[in-house]
Amino acid sequence: MTYRKVNYEEVEQVSSAMHVLSDPLETEQVGVTVARCDPGWNSKPHDHTDNDHEEVYVLIEGTATVVVDDEPVAMETGDALWISPESTRQIRNGDRESAFVLVSAPSIADEDGGDEWSLSGFAG
């Protein structure tokens, strides 16, 4: 099969906000999570040093704060935030619901030490 489809609302929530899509989509190199955060919800502070995964948090609805290494970063709808694997991060939601798409993946540096993505053939 060349594609897999899942509706995040049909995936059981973890930590009362996170719909982790990697398992039902059977992804091999990328993690994808939809986080629907209730008012006042906070994620657990964590990092990804052990698996060397960088993350991008995209706020698709509402406002929230992401604390990165003890520095609060205010987020508004449409903002995207890159976070290095070794940085500690935590979502702190305000007084209204917000929604994030969280994407994680290991480093994409090639074996020659380069750190640029090849965009040839990219149709986006």
Side-chain angles (χ1 to χ4, degrees):
M1 178 178 255
T2 59
Y3 70 90
R4 296 183 227 4
K5 178 182 172 187
V6 66
N7 185 308
Y8 83 87
E9 292 178 338
E10 296 173 1
V11 175
E12 185 176 343
Q13 274 187 340
V14 178
S15 300
S16 73
M18 307 286 198
H19 300 269
V20 181
L21 304 180
S22 301
D23 285 342
L25 289 173
E26 300 177 34
T27 61
E28 296 177 17
Q29 298 179 19
V30 63
V32 179
T33 300
V34 174
R36 295 216 57 99
C37 310
D38 288 333
W41 182 84
N42 295 326
S43 68
K44 293 180 182 179
H46 67 286
D47 64 50
H48 288 281
T49 303
D50 290 345
N51 60 14
D52 196 34
H53 280 201
E54 62 183 356
E55 284 190 308
V56 175
Y57 286 19
V58 182
L59 187 62
I60 58 172
E61 184 179 309
T63 60
T65 299
V66 178
V67 179
V68 181
D69 292 333
D70 297 322
E71 181 180 337
V73 180
M75 302 279 292
E76 297 180 358
T77 299
D79 287 345
L81 177 66
W82 173 84
I83 306 170
S84 68
E86 62 278 351
S87 292
T88 300
R89 76 280 324 259
Q90 179 187 32
I91 295 172
R92 294 184 183 167
N93 199 34
D95 58 359
R96 295 186 182 182
E97 183 179 277
S98 69
F100 284 87
V101 173
L102 313 176
V103 180
S104 65
S107 172
I108 59 170
D110 65 26
E111 293 177 12
D112 296 331
D115 59 357
E116 292 187 30
W117 272 28
S118 171
L119 296 179
S120 61
F122 182 67

